[in-house]
């Protein structure tokens, strides 16, 4: 699947959508044939998309993370092992804001075999992590998944 920002600052997505990761409010399992506006993120002349990352390593799984210029982070798709970062384990077909008490400046995702760990950097130089943590990859000293961002010390 693909996401793109059009010249009018509209975020669109198309392609495979097994877990709703296009964020187009299209039923999970239904592919999106043409560029379609995403749902759940409001863009404007002052709020633009800064970065988009995808996590999950298989066609049957996938999560999309979007960073906007106002420091907010959104996710859609698979909730496997906490990769949505919104506190739930329910897949979503529309983008929802990830609750983090910081202004995010960068996002990074590492995915493998359908799982993933997401890192967020904020404007104070701190790092937050969420997602798969079963092998201590979150960096918080625990071997459990994190369903919301945790601040690393």
């Amino acid at each position: 699947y693909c996401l793109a920002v059009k010249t009018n600052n509209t975020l669109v997505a198309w392609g495979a959508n097994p877990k709703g990761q296009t964020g187009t409010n299209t039923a999970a399992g239904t592919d999106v044939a043409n560029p379609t506006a995403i749902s759940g993120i409001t863009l404007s002349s002052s709020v633009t998309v800064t970065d988009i990352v995808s996590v999950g390593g298989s066609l049957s799984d996938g999560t999309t993370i979007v960073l906007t210029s106002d420091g907010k982070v959104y996710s859609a798709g698979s909730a496997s092992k906490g990769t949505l970062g919104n506190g739930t384990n329910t897949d979503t077909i529309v983008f929802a804001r990830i609750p983090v008490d910081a202004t995010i400046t960068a996002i990074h995702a590492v995915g493998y075999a359908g799982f993933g760990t997401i890192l967020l950097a904020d404007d104070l130089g701190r790092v937050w992590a969420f997602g798969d943590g079963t092998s201590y990859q979150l960096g918080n000293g625990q071997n459990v998944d994190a369903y919301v961002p945790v601040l690393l010390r």
Side-chain angles (χ1 to χ4, degrees):
Y1 69 101
C2 299
L3 278 84
V5 180
K6 296 173 65 173
T7 56
N8 67 355
N9 203 29
T10 302
L11 182 59
V12 295
W14 65 96
N17 191 46
K19 293 291 186 173
Q21 63 265 44
T22 61
T24 58
N25 203 21
T26 303
T30 303
D31 292 346
V32 181
N34 297 298
T36 304
I38 60 90
S39 299
I41 302 174
T42 302
L43 299 175
S44 66
S45 60
S46 61
V47 178
T48 59
V49 172
T50 304
D51 201 1
I52 302 169
V53 297
S54 175
V55 66
S58 71
L59 289 176
S60 63
D61 239 344
T63 304
T64 305
I65 312 290
V66 173
L67 172 63
T68 55
S69 59
D70 58 357
K72 295 177 182 171
V73 186
Y74 301 83
S75 62
S78 172
S80 177
K81 303 185 85 47
T83 55
L84 285 176
N86 64 5
T88 71
N89 60 359
T90 304
D91 299 344
T92 180
I93 61 174
V94 298
F95 281 92
R97 186 163 175 217
I98 296 172
V100 58
D101 189 23
T103 301
I104 303 303
T105 57
I107 56 178
H108 182 74
V110 178
Y112 57 94
F115 306 117
T117 302
I118 296 88
L119 302 173
L120 311 173
D122 70 21
D123 62 343
L124 300 176
R126 301 176 300 181
V127 176
W128 304 73
F130 62 94
D132 184 16
T134 54
S135 296
Y136 298 95
Q137 62 268 50
L138 291 174
N140 62 354
Q142 299 181 24
N143 65 340
V144 296
D145 303 335
Y147 285 79
V148 295
V150 293
L151 180 60
L152 302 185
R153 307 265 176 213

